[in-house]
């Protein structure tokens, strides 16, 4: 049974063939040929020589990244690739919850151990293990994320031990090794166990490695919430640790946490929320999806079944999966819904972490939706080079950051292994090429601060080495080229390798029990992963057939085809061409009606009747969401309004655009600075504008804590070092998925560089007054005159009607503004009375074309209500 689940390799279902016929080449235009060539390249088979070249390129890239870490950063936790130095916690500016991954335990080294073996760098692996045993300490007085430390460090130590033990047993290497990494893993496990000391069994999100939770020196233990994935992504590492060490306590705690999450699911929908209270088990955030906050909970249910052979986990996964496919999956999209009302989507954007889900669907044997979602993600990468951290359902950038995340490469690897389709090799090749072209820097690879600008961020997270290179290398490798048999292992969520043979290693633990679900029909594939030949018999092109429906989802790569022109009949009963020329001067294209072949309803030619093309509808350009720039203006001495910091607005809280004079107040730093809990300096904050650091919790949660403390407003400051409004587009802060109508404070957001100006001013002058308002209304700002605009209405009369009488029906309204024309069509029940014809010269000051005279128009100096200038 397990053999079916883990052996995903299938024979190639596509045979190499010619991409173009001679006839096609002769008949296709150049642009279509180029597009076709690109599509052909994506679908054609890859020669062994090509795969070898790409594999060698991946090895060179890994050497550049890992070598830079060892040269410039080790023994620090991470490399700062732009600064060419190591990131040591406490020595660099605090980045909020991001830094909770850093525990002064050489994170990148530990996270990379089993990658070195997969890439056949066995000498480097031997050296790295010796360094880890000699240099790494796990008893540091530092507060770390339980989730991150488990998947990266504990998982890294276990994966490293499994590889070292394997090489030692082969008798060729690591003969000196005496299970040192396993002993370190046991020590770390015991340092994480105090986090589970809650009334529910769900772990605290953070723990002090030296002092645990309850010790007065721990500086943690006040948190009340954790994410679903944070509590539900422990079972693989903790169960493996129990079975390798013989200590059952680890697996027991991980199973208990999963039991709680299962019991707290919404029974009607079988979905779980994103954030849960660790003490009473109540849901704090009820939005449900497969991305950030929940993702690896679902992953670990499936993989716990594969690793441990416990049917309970498969039963739970199958129930959840049915709910996901019923409510969350809207192929090719995966949208968050409300767990109690799952027919309602709670947001119009997706985060990049959901890119792992097609890979999980491959393990499930559900290939069609996996192919669909993966293709959608691939099209997004074509549009933006990388997956943005978040993107809308229209595939626009919602949050432009890209942290070199590996989830898309992971799903690409799984889909290739399941289908053998060379298309996925080409997708992998594009990942390699984009990393080299847009992320490579002299000292490693740097995260992208914003995919729209291509600016870099001074960080290279450890998962880049732990996962990205592993999946890419395996994608282009044959079994015979690998030092280990990958079918004998399962990947953790950090891509660490755990042997599936652990299912035969027994420890005394109380097993979970899942109550019998409401009749779910079992089929041939309930307990195994089917082959593609079984799912799609005699159809070697099944994957391509599915993909083709989504190939031009984002509009990238589509050959240009003119849109159908929407037209309106405009009877201009004037044999002269002045009205026509007048409209042409405004950019409106007119074509005589008698030039068209019309249907029977208009069988005759009508002299002087024209059609107006609505040129504004021709463009396919998708505009970015409009963000109104706000400002934080320092108005107290010695600044006196001369220092103005560009700020981003919020989609909730007080609408500053409706405050005529903005909001004024004295600034004060919140304590804690992240404002993710009760405000300790509430007396100072009351009535003032609080400064709060981004990170650790949602903007809405911070706002609620500060509003409860009596703050008069909030300025959030970015925790990402070096971010600034000049290089990074502004964005609007969003809520937490639930109603934010209770938040009434004015809220603005400053990037790191602008925030540093504000905090420096506070440190130097102590009493600093600021004004929060839209940037265009800042004090001392010259208000430029608005462009001249006018509204022209054309009342149409019936053929043969009298000059003085207007016909019921259509009114055309032309609204002219600076460099813009809008043609609006309205319906009127009846146009009563007579209209005095006016003949005036009509000019738009922003246009250089000649003015027409004698055009019958109704003029208004301002657009009427209901128009859209």
């Amino acid at each position: 049974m397990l053999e079916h689940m883990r052996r995903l390799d299938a024979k190639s279902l596509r045979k190499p063939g010619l991409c173009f016929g001679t006839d096609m080449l002769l008949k296709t235009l150049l642009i279509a040929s180029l597009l076709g060539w690109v599509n052909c390249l994506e679908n054609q088979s890859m020669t062994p020589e090509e795969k070898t070249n790409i594999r060698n390129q991946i090895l060179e890239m890994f050497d550049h990244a890992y070598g830079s870490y060892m040269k410039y950063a080790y023994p620090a936790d991470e490399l700062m690739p732009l600064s060419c130095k190591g990131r040591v916690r406490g020595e660099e500016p605090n980045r909020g919850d991001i830094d909770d991954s850093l525990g002064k335990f050489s994170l990148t080294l530990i996270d990379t151990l089993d990658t070195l073996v997969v890439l056949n760098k066995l000498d480097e692996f031997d050296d790295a293990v010796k360094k880890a045993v000699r240099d790494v300490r796990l008893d540091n007085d530092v507060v770390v994320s339980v989730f991150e430390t488990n998947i990266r460090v504990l998982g890294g130590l276990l994966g490293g031990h499994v590889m070292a033990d394997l090489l030692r047993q082969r008798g060729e290497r690591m003969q000196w090794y005496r299970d040192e990494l396993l002993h370190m893993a046991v020590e770390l496990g015991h340092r994480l166990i105090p986090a589970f000391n809650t009334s529910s069994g769900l772990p605290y999100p953070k723990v002090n490695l030296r002092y645990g939770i309850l010790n007065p020196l721990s500086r943690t233990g006040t948190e009340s919430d954790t994410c679903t994935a944070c509590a539900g992504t422990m079972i693989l590492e903790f169960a493996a640790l129990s079975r390798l060490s013989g200590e059952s306590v680890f697996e027991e705690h991980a199973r208990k946490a999963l039991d709680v999450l299962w019991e707290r699911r919404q029974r009607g929908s079988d979905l779980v929320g994103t954030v849960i209270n660790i003490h009473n088990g109540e849901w704090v955030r009820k939005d449900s999806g497969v991305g950030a906050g929940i993702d690896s909970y679902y992953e670990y249910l499936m993989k716990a079944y594969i690793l441990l052979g416990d049917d309970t986990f498969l039963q739970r996964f199958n129930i959840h999966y049915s709910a996901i496919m019923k409510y969350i999956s809207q192929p090719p999209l995966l949208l968050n819904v409300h767990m109690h009302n799952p027919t309602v989507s709670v947001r119009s954007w997706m985060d990049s972490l959901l890119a792992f889900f097609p890979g999980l669907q491959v393990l499930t044997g559900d290939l069609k939706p996996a192919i669909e979602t993966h293709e959608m993600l691939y099209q997004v990468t074509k549009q933006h080079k990388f997956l943005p951290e978040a993107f809308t359902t229209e595939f626009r950038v919602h949050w432009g950051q890209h942290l070199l995340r590996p989830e898309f490469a992971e799903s690409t690897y799984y889909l290739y292994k399941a289908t053998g389709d060379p298309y996925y090799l080409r997708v992998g090749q594009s990942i390699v090429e984009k990393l080299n072209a847009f992320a490579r820097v002299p000292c490693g690879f740097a995260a992208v601060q914003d995919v729209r600008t291509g600016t870099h961020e001074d960080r290279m997270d450890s998962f880049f080495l732990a996962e990205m290179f592993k999946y890419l290398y395996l994608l282009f490798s044959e079994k015979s080229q690998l030092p280990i048999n990958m079918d004998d292992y399962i990947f953790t969520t950090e891509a660490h390798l755990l042997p599936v043979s652990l299912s035969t290693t027994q420890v005394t633990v109380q097993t979970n029990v899942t109550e019998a679900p409401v009749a779910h029909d079992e089929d041939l594939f309930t307990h195994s992963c089917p082959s593609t030949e079984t799912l799609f018999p005699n159809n070697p092109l099944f994957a391509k057939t599915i993909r083709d429906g989504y190939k031009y989802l984002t509009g990238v790569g589509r050959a240009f085809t003119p849109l159908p022109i929407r037209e309106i009949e405009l009877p201009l009963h004037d044999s002269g061409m002045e009205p026509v020329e007048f409209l042409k001067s405004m950019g409106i294209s007119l074509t005589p009606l008698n030039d068209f072949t019309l249907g029977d309803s208009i069988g005759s030619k009508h002299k002087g009747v024209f059609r107006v093309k609505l040129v504004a509808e021709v463009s396919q350009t998708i505009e970015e969401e409009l963000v109104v720039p706000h400002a934080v203006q320092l108005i107290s001495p010695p600044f006196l309004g001369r220092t103005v910091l560009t700020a981003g607005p919020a989609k909730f809280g007080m609408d500053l655009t409706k405050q005529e004079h903005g909001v004024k107040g004295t600034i004060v730093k919140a304590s804690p600075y992240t404002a993710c809990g009760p405000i300790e300096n509430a007396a100072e904050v009351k009535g003032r504008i609080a400064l709060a650091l981004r990170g650790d919790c949602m903007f809405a949660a911070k706002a609620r804590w500060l509003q409860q403390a009596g703050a008069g407003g909030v300025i959030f400051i970015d925790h990402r070092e070096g971010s600034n409004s000049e290089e990074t587009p502004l964005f609007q802060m969003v809520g937490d998925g639930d109603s934010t109508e209770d938040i009434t404070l004015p809220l603005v957001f400053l990037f790191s560089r602008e925030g540093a100006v504000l905090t420096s001013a506070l440190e130097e002058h102590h009493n600093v007054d600021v004004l929060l308002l839209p940037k265009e209304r800042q004090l001392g700002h010259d208000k430029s005159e608005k462009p001249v605009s006018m509204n022209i209405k054309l009342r149409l009369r019936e053929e043969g009607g009298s000059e003085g009488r207007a016909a019921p029906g259509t009114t055309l309204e032309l609204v002219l503004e600076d460099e813009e024309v809008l043609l609006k069509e309205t319906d009127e029940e009846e146009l009563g009375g007579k209209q005095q014809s006016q003949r005036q010269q009509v000019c738009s000051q922003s246009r250089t074309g000649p003015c027409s005279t004698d055009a019958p128009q109704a003029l208004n100096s301002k657009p009427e209500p209901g128009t859209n200038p």
Side-chain angles (χ1 to χ4, degrees):
M1 185 187 308
L2 288 175
E3 195 69 17
H4 283 292
M5 293 295 300
R6 66 179 184 265
R7 292 187 181 275
L8 299 174
D9 292 319
K11 295 181 179 179
S12 176
L13 299 178
R14 178 170 298 170
K15 295 183 179 180
L18 295 178
C19 294
F20 290 106
T22 305
D23 292 342
M24 181 182 294
L25 287 173
L26 293 175
K27 295 178 181 178
T28 307
L29 296 173
L30 176 61
I31 184 66
S33 297
L34 290 173
L35 291 172
W37 178 80
V38 171
N39 290 335
C40 170
L41 184 64
E42 287 180 340
N43 288 291
Q44 73 181 19
S45 297
M46 186 174 284
T47 66
E49 292 76 15
E50 283 184 279
K51 292 175 70 173
T52 298
N53 290 337
I54 296 173
R55 191 167 60 251
N56 290 337
Q57 187 179 11
I58 293 168
L59 289 174
E60 186 279 328
M61 292 166 64
F62 173 83
D63 289 340
H64 177 63
Y66 180 69
S68 294
Y69 167 74
M70 296 305 295
K71 179 178 180 180
Y72 300 111
Y74 182 80
D77 282 316
E78 288 182 344
L79 169 68
M80 298 174 67
L82 302 184
S83 303
C84 298
K85 65 178 183 179
R87 184 180 296 280
V88 179
R89 192 166 177 182
E91 296 182 10
E92 301 296 332
N94 190 309
R95 301 178 299 168
D97 58 334
I98 298 175
D99 284 340
D100 290 340
S101 301
L102 313 180
K104 298 182 178 179
F105 35 35
S106 300
L107 172 63
T108 300
L109 178 74
I110 300 296
D111 218 1
T112 310
L113 288 176
D114 54 5
T115 302
L116 290 167
V117 176
V118 172
L119 271 58
N120 209 20
K121 294 184 174 293
L122 303 185
D123 291 335
E124 290 88 341
F125 174 72
D126 189 299
D127 181 63
V129 174
K130 289 177 178 176
K131 281 185 169 63
V133 172
R134 182 190 68 207
D135 300 337
V136 173
R137 292 179 57 105
L138 301 170
D139 62 346
N140 302 305
D141 179 11
V142 60
V143 175
V144 298
S145 161
V146 174
F147 168 76
E148 297 289 355
T149 304
N150 174 63
I151 66 172
R152 298 200 204 188
V153 186
L154 182 56
L157 290 170
L158 290 172
H161 164 70
V162 169
M163 294 296 101
D165 186 53
L166 175 68
L167 294 175
R168 179 180 59 185
Q169 290 181 30
R170 289 180 179 177
E172 299 174 1
R173 295 176 179 272
M174 305 296 295
Q175 297 305 300
W176 61 268
Y177 182 67
R178 296 295 181 270
D179 297 340
E180 288 88 347
L181 294 179
L182 177 59
H183 298 152
M184 294 171 67
V186 172
E187 178 190 349
L188 181 59
H190 282 294
R191 295 187 181 278
L192 294 178
I193 282 293
F196 290 83
N197 187 19
T198 63
S199 55
S200 69
L202 297 171
Y204 280 94
K206 301 178 184 181
V207 67
N208 187 300
L209 289 176
R210 179 176 296 176
Y211 297 112
I213 297 289
L214 300 179
N215 191 301
L217 299 177
S218 67
R219 303 188 308 283
T220 189
T222 60
E223 302 86 3
S224 60
D225 308 330
T226 193
C227 72
T228 301
C230 300
T233 310
M234 308 292 291
I235 185 64
L236 294 190
E237 292 83 0
F238 270 42
L241 182 59
S242 285
R243 298 186 182 212
L244 290 170
S245 68
E247 298 185 31
S248 63
V249 62
F250 307 111
E251 185 172 339
E252 289 171 355
H253 280 296
R255 283 179 176 266
K256 172 63 175 175
L258 284 177
D259 287 346
V260 175
L261 292 175
W262 173 251
E263 289 298 322
R264 300 305 301 177
R265 77 191 187 283
Q266 210 289 321
R267 300 301 178 100
S269 66
D270 285 323
L271 296 173
V272 292
T274 305
V275 177
I276 192 170
N277 186 289
I278 59 176
H279 300 299
N280 59 27
E282 296 297 323
W283 291 106
V284 178
R285 282 185 53 193
K286 302 177 179 65
D287 51 315
S288 184
V290 297
I294 301 181
D295 49 2
S296 48
Y297 163 65
Y298 293 132
E299 177 187 4
Y300 269 38
L301 285 177
M302 167 57 81
K303 291 183 176 179
Y305 164 66
I306 300 173
L307 181 69
L308 306 177
D310 188 335
D311 281 355
T312 297
F313 298 118
L314 180 63
Q315 293 167 12
R316 293 180 181 181
F317 173 82
N318 284 338
I319 292 171
H320 280 315
Y321 186 73
S322 295
I324 290 168
M325 298 310 293
K326 182 177 181 180
Y327 300 115
I328 294 171
S329 176
Q330 301 178 31
L333 308 180
L334 293 164
L335 300 179
N336 278 32
V337 299
H338 196 289
M339 62 183 291
H340 295 294
N341 186 11
T343 59
V344 177
S345 296
V346 298
R347 67 189 192 194
S348 60
W349 51 274
M350 297 168 280
D351 63 77
S352 64
L353 286 172
L354 61 75
F356 90 99
F357 198 68
L360 183 58
Q361 289 179 306
V362 170
L363 282 180
T364 309
D366 200 1
L367 289 187
K368 184 176 184 293
I371 292 168
E372 291 173 329
T373 298
H374 180 275
E375 183 63 23
M376 176 270 289
L377 295 169
Y378 184 38
Q379 296 304 320
V380 174
T381 65
K382 283 185 173 181
Q383 183 174 1
H384 301 296
K385 298 185 180 68
F386 299 104
L387 274 183
E389 195 72 349
F391 53 94
T392 70
T393 52
E394 292 82 27
F395 314 110
R396 296 178 293 179
V397 173
H398 182 75
W399 183 7
Q401 192 180 31
H402 175 73
L403 302 178
L404 308 180
R405 292 197 186 277
E407 285 78 13
F408 179 62
E410 174 185 1
S411 287
T412 303
Y413 163 73
Y414 276 113
L415 274 167
Y416 177 66
K417 289 300 178 184
T419 66
D421 192 330
Y423 177 86
Y424 296 107
L425 295 177
R426 298 298 178 185
V427 176
Q429 183 180 13
S430 76
I431 298 173
V432 172
E433 291 171 348
K434 287 171 181 174
L435 285 173
N436 261 328
F438 304 111
R440 187 169 183 141
V441 294
C443 295
F445 290 81
V448 179
Q449 191 173 76
D450 195 293
V451 296
R452 291 164 291 193
T453 64
T455 53
H456 287 131
E457 190 172 342
D458 201 5
R459 62 185 289 188
M460 187 180 81
D461 289 85
S462 66
F463 53 67
F464 182 59
L465 289 166
E467 300 183 70
M468 180 70 83
F469 289 108
K470 198 175 286 171
Y471 289 124
L472 289 176
Y473 186 79
L474 290 172
L475 177 62
F476 293 97
S477 300
E478 302 298 331
K479 286 186 176 182
S480 60
Q481 297 167 329
L482 298 172
I484 59 175
N485 184 358
M486 297 304 300
D487 290 335
D488 294 336
Y489 303 90
I490 189 166
F491 288 117
T492 69
T493 195
E494 190 78 2
H496 293 306
L497 298 171
L498 297 178
V500 293
S501 59
L502 288 177
S503 62
T504 63
T505 303
Q506 299 299 321
V507 291
T508 304
V509 295
Q510 183 177 355
T511 58
N512 314 65
V513 176
T514 300
E515 66 273 19
V518 179
H520 285 275
D521 294 335
E522 294 193 357
D523 57 27
L524 178 64
F525 307 132
T526 298
H527 295 276
S528 64
C529 186
S531 69
T532 54
E533 288 88 345
T534 304
L535 284 174
F536 304 97
N538 304 316
N539 186 8
L541 298 180
F542 79 92
K544 182 179 184 301
T545 303
I546 296 169
R547 285 195 307 267
D548 282 349
Y550 303 96
K551 186 167 289 293
Y552 302 116
L553 196 65
T554 66
V556 175
R558 185 193 296 274
F560 175 74
T561 52
L563 286 179
I565 298 172
R566 179 183 170 191
E567 295 168 338
I568 300 174
E569 294 183 14
L570 178 60
L572 297 176
H573 291 273
D574 193 327
S575 59
M577 288 301 293
E578 289 87 351
V580 176
E581 294 301 326
F582 169 69
L583 292 173
K584 281 185 177 179
S585 73
M586 296 186 296
I588 298 177
S589 177
L590 294 164
T591 306
L593 195 62
N594 56 8
D595 286 355
F596 286 84
T597 301
L598 302 173
D600 293 337
S601 60
I602 310 178
S604 60
K605 297 178 180 179
H606 298 268
K607 180 181 178 181
V609 178
F610 296 83
R611 285 194 171 182
V612 181
K613 296 180 182 178
L614 299 187
V615 293
E617 291 191 359
V618 174
S619 172
Q620 292 190 52
T621 303
I622 300 176
E623 296 181 2
E624 295 294 333
E625 182 179 19
L626 178 64
V627 177
V628 178
H630 282 47
V632 176
Q633 188 168 18
L634 283 64
I635 57 176
S636 56
F639 307 102
L640 302 175
R642 291 186 293 269
T643 300
V644 181
L645 307 173
T646 300
K651 287 187 175 181
F652 58 99
M654 181 186 294
D655 187 352
L656 286 169
T657 63
K658 297 179 180 178
Q659 306 300 313
E660 184 177 359
H661 304 293
V663 173
K664 176 185 174 182
T666 303
I667 59 173
V668 60
K669 268 190 177 183
S671 178
Y673 195 18
T674 56
C676 287
I679 305 303
E680 298 168 2
N681 61 336
E684 297 177 53
V685 166
K686 187 174 183 179
R688 297 187 176 187
I689 295 178
L691 307 185
L693 187 68
R694 179 183 186 179
D696 283 3
C697 62
M698 304 292 286
F699 288 121
K702 299 172 187 285
R704 288 189 178 99
W705 283 116
L706 289 164
Q707 182 169 285
Q708 184 177 327
V714 184
I715 300 173
F716 296 110
I717 297 176
D718 196 7
H719 57 4
R720 294 180 300 149
E721 183 182 353
S723 65
N724 62 87
S725 60
E726 293 179 0
E727 298 178 350
T728 307
L730 289 176
F731 65 90
Q732 296 189 79
M733 295 178 286
V734 295
D736 54 7
D738 290 330
S739 172
T740 52
E741 292 181 359
D742 58 310
I743 301 174
T744 58
L745 293 178
L747 312 167
V748 296
F749 176 85
L750 292 178
F751 287 109
S752 175
R753 191 178 299 174
E754 286 81 1
V757 173
L758 192 61
T759 55
S760 296
L762 181 61
E763 291 173 4
E764 183 176 355
H765 301 284
H766 304 294
N767 192 21
V768 178
D769 293 338
V770 299
L771 188 63
L772 310 181
L773 73 175
K775 194 169 185 181
E776 64 177 9
R777 286 201 237 133
Q778 68 192 57
L779 295 180
H781 179 66
D782 292 332
K783 307 238 180 353
S784 57
E785 292 186 4
K786 293 183 178 179
V788 175
S789 64
M790 53 187 162
N791 187 1
I792 305 173
K793 274 193 176 181
L794 289 83
R795 298 276 177 93
L796 310 184
R797 57 185 178 80
E798 290 179 342
E799 187 76 33
S802 62
E803 281 289 333
R805 186 166 183 80
T810 301
T811 296
L812 293 180
E813 192 173 306
L814 299 175
V815 182
L816 304 186
E817 280 201 336
D818 187 20
E819 299 297 339
E820 292 182 355
V821 174
L822 175 72
L823 179 61
K824 183 178 180 182
E825 178 183 2
T826 61
D827 290 327
E828 298 178 353
E829 292 295 329
E830 184 176 354
L831 296 174
K834 295 184 178 181
Q835 178 126 4
Q836 186 72 26
S837 177
Q838 296 180 325
R839 295 178 181 273
Q840 298 185 11
Q841 185 178 22
V842 181
C843 294
S844 174
Q845 294 182 358
S846 65
R847 302 183 180 276
T848 58
C851 296
S852 300
T853 58
D854 301 326
Q857 306 289 344
L859 301 181
N860 294 293
S861 60
K862 295 182 181 179
E864 291 185 353
T867 63
N868 183 23

